[in-house]
Amino acid sequence: MFNGRLASAVCFASRHTVSAGCLRSSGAGTLFLRLLSTSPRTKSVDVAVIGAGSAGLSVAALLQKQGVGNLVVLDDNSSPGGSWQHRWESLSLFSTRKWSSLPFRPMQGEPDGYPSTAEMAKYLAEYEQNMKINVERPVNIISVETLTDSDELLITSDTNQQWKSKAVVTCTGGDHSPICPAVPGSDAFMGKQLHSAEYKNATPFAGKRVVVVGEGNSGAQILADVSIVAADVMWVTSKEPEYLPKEMSGKEVFDTADKKLRAFLSEPADTPADNKAIMLQQIPSLSKIICVPSVRDALERGVLDKHKRPFSHFTPRGLAWEDGSTWDADAVIWCTGYGNDTHMLRPLNLVDERGRAVVKGTRSKEDPRVWLVGYGHWTGIASRSIPGAVLSAQATAAEIRAYLQ
């Protein structure tokens, strides 16, 4: 049986090749041939930011405003818009336009309204253009390593493009590293498996028996979406799903979180640890399900009332549990989260098997030239959310500016 952490297998992926429900990167042989086919072209910059999503663009814009002009943002997408251009169509953002905006340029439209994924992708594209951020794409970075003859870092792409930089900020998030549990019998299952990273809409699941695995916001929203057209649905959760109060909108979640976080950060250094712990617990958790309209509708239809603990193995026709019960299924959608796409830092020996580094704030404790922004709580409170990433970016940019001086 797969456990609650659902960490049996992690597929580190580019979005270009899909296999058995996980996105997988191209083979080592292909990469070797690509490296041979091109000669190095090395550019020198003060700061290299890897990733052009909300975190990366925020860091770049803040640095530019502080006078750091010799920087580059390296993005592996072929077009601007970050990961939003790859999200499923019905995804509901629970951060308002106010809380989805990046530094210096608020989103257009009603500040307390909720942007669509297409609007977010368009906003990021316009943001990098209006802020005149130097973005190079598509660039897939495979390594960051120390130069033997200088204090700079050498950044290399899979086409052997190279940059020398005094500081490196990785803002790649985890969207390229979907977590797919390894469950016995998976290869024998005759139905379709996919990760939420591949899910686009419910149309392919009309009239099907569909299993959604994962008790987070993605699982609840995708289950709500699929349940409208599917013949039957099963929700598999590792624990009892937790909801924020139904009356608490996304606006209220982030307004409350901002107020309580600012209070926490303004506490004196000698505040007792127990008091700080209580203050942190009072910040609304984004790991709980936010009752966006589609989720509220599913709750009213009773769709989210039926959920079952993890199954022990696949059968050719569906799922089976240790108590002997079975459920026939045509498809399984894994809403089991993402890892940390920090593989490029492995040559520096900065990341563990989970892709995490030891940091103080967002700065590596082991290499002061490296910062990591937007990877979750270990790089800052709520830093995988847009407002959390922006908050982390502000502190990061200030540190880098001081470092370069």
Side-chain angles (χ1 to χ4, degrees), residues 101-124:
S101 297
L102 306 191
F104 314 118
R105 294 193 71 87
M107 293 190 76
Q108 297 297 307
E110 172 55 45
D112 292 337
Y114 298 89
S116 66
T117 55
E119 186 179 349
M120 279 302 306
K122 182 173 182 287
Y123 169 69
L124 292 188

Short mmCIF file of all heavy atoms in Angstrom, two decimals, residues 101-124:
data_model
loop_
_atom_site.label_atom_id
_atom_site.label_comp_id
_atom_site.label_asym_id
_atom_site.label_seq_id
_atom_site.Cartn_x
_atom_site.Cartn_y
_atom_site.Cartn_z
N SER A 101 -0.86 39.47 -8.16
CA SER A 101 -0.02 40.45 -8.87
C SER A 101 1.43 40.38 -8.43
O SER A 101 1.73 40.04 -7.28
CB SER A 101 -0.55 41.87 -8.62
OG SER A 101 -1.84 42.02 -9.14
N LEU A 102 2.31 40.70 -9.36
CA LEU A 102 3.74 40.75 -9.08
C LEU A 102 4.15 42.19 -8.78
O LEU A 102 3.38 43.13 -9.02
CB LEU A 102 4.53 40.19 -10.27
CG LEU A 102 4.14 38.79 -10.76
CD1 LEU A 102 5.17 38.28 -11.76
CD2 LEU A 102 3.96 37.81 -9.61
N PRO A 103 5.37 42.40 -8.29
CA PRO A 103 5.79 43.76 -7.89
C PRO A 103 5.70 44.79 -9.02
O PRO A 103 6.02 44.49 -10.16
CB PRO A 103 7.26 43.55 -7.47
CG PRO A 103 7.31 42.12 -7.02
CD PRO A 103 6.39 41.39 -7.94
N PHE A 104 5.22 45.97 -8.67
CA PHE A 104 5.23 47.18 -9.50
C PHE A 104 4.12 47.26 -10.55
O PHE A 104 3.84 48.34 -11.04
CB PHE A 104 6.59 47.37 -10.21
CG PHE A 104 7.77 47.18 -9.31
CD1 PHE A 104 8.69 46.16 -9.55
CD2 PHE A 104 7.97 47.99 -8.20
CE1 PHE A 104 9.79 45.97 -8.72
CE2 PHE A 104 9.06 47.80 -7.36
CZ PHE A 104 9.97 46.79 -7.62
N ARG A 105 3.49 46.13 -10.91
CA ARG A 105 2.46 46.18 -11.95
C ARG A 105 1.25 45.33 -11.54
O ARG A 105 1.21 44.12 -11.81
CB ARG A 105 3.00 45.67 -13.30
CG ARG A 105 4.08 46.58 -13.90
CD ARG A 105 4.34 46.21 -15.35
NE ARG A 105 3.24 46.58 -16.21
CZ ARG A 105 3.09 47.78 -16.78
NH1 ARG A 105 3.98 48.74 -16.55
NH2 ARG A 105 2.07 48.01 -17.57
N PRO A 106 0.26 45.93 -10.88
CA PRO A 106 -0.95 45.19 -10.48
C PRO A 106 -1.69 44.65 -11.70
O PRO A 106 -1.67 45.24 -12.78
CB PRO A 106 -1.79 46.24 -9.76
CG PRO A 106 -0.83 47.33 -9.39
CD PRO A 106 0.22 47.34 -10.45
N MET A 107 -2.35 43.52 -11.52
CA MET A 107 -3.18 42.96 -12.59
C MET A 107 -4.33 43.92 -12.90
O MET A 107 -4.85 44.60 -12.02
CB MET A 107 -3.76 41.61 -12.18
CG MET A 107 -2.75 40.50 -12.01
SD MET A 107 -3.53 38.87 -11.81
CE MET A 107 -4.00 38.54 -13.52
N GLN A 108 -4.72 43.97 -14.16
CA GLN A 108 -5.86 44.76 -14.57
C GLN A 108 -7.15 44.05 -14.15
O GLN A 108 -7.18 42.83 -14.04
CB GLN A 108 -5.86 44.97 -16.08
CG GLN A 108 -4.65 45.75 -16.58
CD GLN A 108 -4.60 47.17 -16.04
OE1 GLN A 108 -5.58 47.91 -16.16
NE2 GLN A 108 -3.48 47.56 -15.46
N GLY A 109 -8.21 44.80 -13.93
CA GLY A 109 -9.49 44.21 -13.56
C GLY A 109 -9.79 44.42 -12.09
O GLY A 109 -9.01 45.03 -11.35
N GLU A 110 -10.91 43.91 -11.65
CA GLU A 110 -11.35 44.06 -10.27
C GLU A 110 -10.35 43.41 -9.33
O GLU A 110 -10.09 42.20 -9.42
CB GLU A 110 -12.73 43.39 -10.10
CG GLU A 110 -13.21 43.29 -8.67
CD GLU A 110 -13.25 44.63 -7.96
OE1 GLU A 110 -13.73 45.62 -8.57
OE2 GLU A 110 -12.79 44.69 -6.81
N PRO A 111 -9.72 44.18 -8.41
CA PRO A 111 -8.68 43.63 -7.54
C PRO A 111 -9.14 42.44 -6.70
O PRO A 111 -8.36 41.52 -6.42
CB PRO A 111 -8.31 44.82 -6.64
CG PRO A 111 -8.69 46.02 -7.43
CD PRO A 111 -9.91 45.63 -8.20
N ASP A 112 -10.43 42.44 -6.31
CA ASP A 112 -10.94 41.35 -5.48
C ASP A 112 -11.55 40.22 -6.29
O ASP A 112 -12.11 39.27 -5.73
CB ASP A 112 -11.98 41.88 -4.48
CG ASP A 112 -11.34 42.78 -3.43
OD1 ASP A 112 -10.12 42.66 -3.19
OD2 ASP A 112 -12.07 43.62 -2.85
N GLY A 113 -11.44 40.32 -7.63
CA GLY A 113 -11.92 39.24 -8.49
C GLY A 113 -10.84 38.18 -8.67
O GLY A 113 -9.66 38.41 -8.37
N TYR A 114 -11.23 37.03 -9.22
CA TYR A 114 -10.31 35.92 -9.36
C TYR A 114 -9.93 35.72 -10.82
O TYR A 114 -10.80 35.54 -11.67
CB TYR A 114 -10.94 34.64 -8.80
CG TYR A 114 -11.25 34.74 -7.32
CD1 TYR A 114 -12.47 35.24 -6.89
CD2 TYR A 114 -10.30 34.40 -6.37
CE1 TYR A 114 -12.75 35.38 -5.54
CE2 TYR A 114 -10.56 34.54 -5.02
CZ TYR A 114 -11.79 35.02 -4.61
OH TYR A 114 -12.06 35.16 -3.26
N PRO A 115 -8.63 35.75 -11.13
CA PRO A 115 -8.20 35.59 -12.52
C PRO A 115 -8.32 34.14 -12.98
O PRO A 115 -8.22 33.21 -12.18
CB PRO A 115 -6.74 36.04 -12.49
CG PRO A 115 -6.28 35.73 -11.10
CD PRO A 115 -7.48 35.97 -10.22
N SER A 116 -8.50 33.96 -14.28
CA SER A 116 -8.47 32.63 -14.87
C SER A 116 -7.02 32.23 -15.13
O SER A 116 -6.11 33.07 -15.07
CB SER A 116 -9.25 32.62 -16.19
OG SER A 116 -8.58 33.44 -17.15
N THR A 117 -6.80 30.97 -15.45
CA THR A 117 -5.43 30.54 -15.78
C THR A 117 -4.93 31.23 -17.04
O THR A 117 -3.76 31.59 -17.13
CB THR A 117 -5.39 29.01 -15.96
OG1 THR A 117 -6.35 28.61 -16.95
CG2 THR A 117 -5.71 28.30 -14.66
N ALA A 118 -5.83 31.42 -18.02
CA ALA A 118 -5.43 32.11 -19.26
C ALA A 118 -5.05 33.56 -18.96
O ALA A 118 -4.09 34.10 -19.54
CB ALA A 118 -6.56 32.06 -20.28
N GLU A 119 -5.78 34.19 -18.05
CA GLU A 119 -5.48 35.56 -17.67
C GLU A 119 -4.12 35.63 -16.97
O GLU A 119 -3.35 36.58 -17.20
CB GLU A 119 -6.58 36.10 -16.75
CG GLU A 119 -6.44 37.57 -16.40
CD GLU A 119 -7.55 38.08 -15.51
OE1 GLU A 119 -8.55 37.36 -15.32
OE2 GLU A 119 -7.41 39.21 -14.99
N MET A 120 -3.84 34.64 -16.12
CA MET A 120 -2.54 34.62 -15.44
C MET A 120 -1.40 34.46 -16.43
O MET A 120 -0.37 35.15 -16.33
CB MET A 120 -2.50 33.48 -14.41
CG MET A 120 -3.18 33.78 -13.09
SD MET A 120 -2.52 35.24 -12.23
CE MET A 120 -0.77 34.85 -12.14
N ALA A 121 -1.55 33.56 -17.39
CA ALA A 121 -0.51 33.35 -18.39
C ALA A 121 -0.28 34.63 -19.19
O ALA A 121 0.87 35.02 -19.46
CB ALA A 121 -0.88 32.19 -19.30
N LYS A 122 -1.36 35.30 -19.58
CA LYS A 122 -1.26 36.54 -20.34
C LYS A 122 -0.61 37.63 -19.50
O LYS A 122 0.24 38.40 -19.99
CB LYS A 122 -2.66 36.99 -20.78
CG LYS A 122 -2.71 38.25 -21.63
CD LYS A 122 -4.13 38.47 -22.13
CE LYS A 122 -4.21 39.72 -23.03
NZ LYS A 122 -4.10 40.97 -22.24
N TYR A 123 -0.96 37.69 -18.22
CA TYR A 123 -0.38 38.70 -17.33
C TYR A 123 1.13 38.51 -17.20
O TYR A 123 1.90 39.49 -17.28
CB TYR A 123 -1.05 38.60 -15.96
CG TYR A 123 -0.35 39.41 -14.87
CD1 TYR A 123 -0.38 40.81 -14.88
CD2 TYR A 123 0.33 38.77 -13.83
CE1 TYR A 123 0.26 41.55 -13.89
CE2 TYR A 123 0.96 39.50 -12.83
CZ TYR A 123 0.93 40.88 -12.86
OH TYR A 123 1.57 41.61 -11.88
N LEU A 124 1.58 37.27 -17.02
CA LEU A 124 3.02 37.04 -16.89
C LEU A 124 3.75 37.39 -18.18
O LEU A 124 4.86 37.95 -18.15
CB LEU A 124 3.30 35.57 -16.53
CG LEU A 124 2.87 35.10 -15.14
CD1 LEU A 124 3.40 33.70 -14.87
CD2 LEU A 124 3.35 36.05 -14.04
#
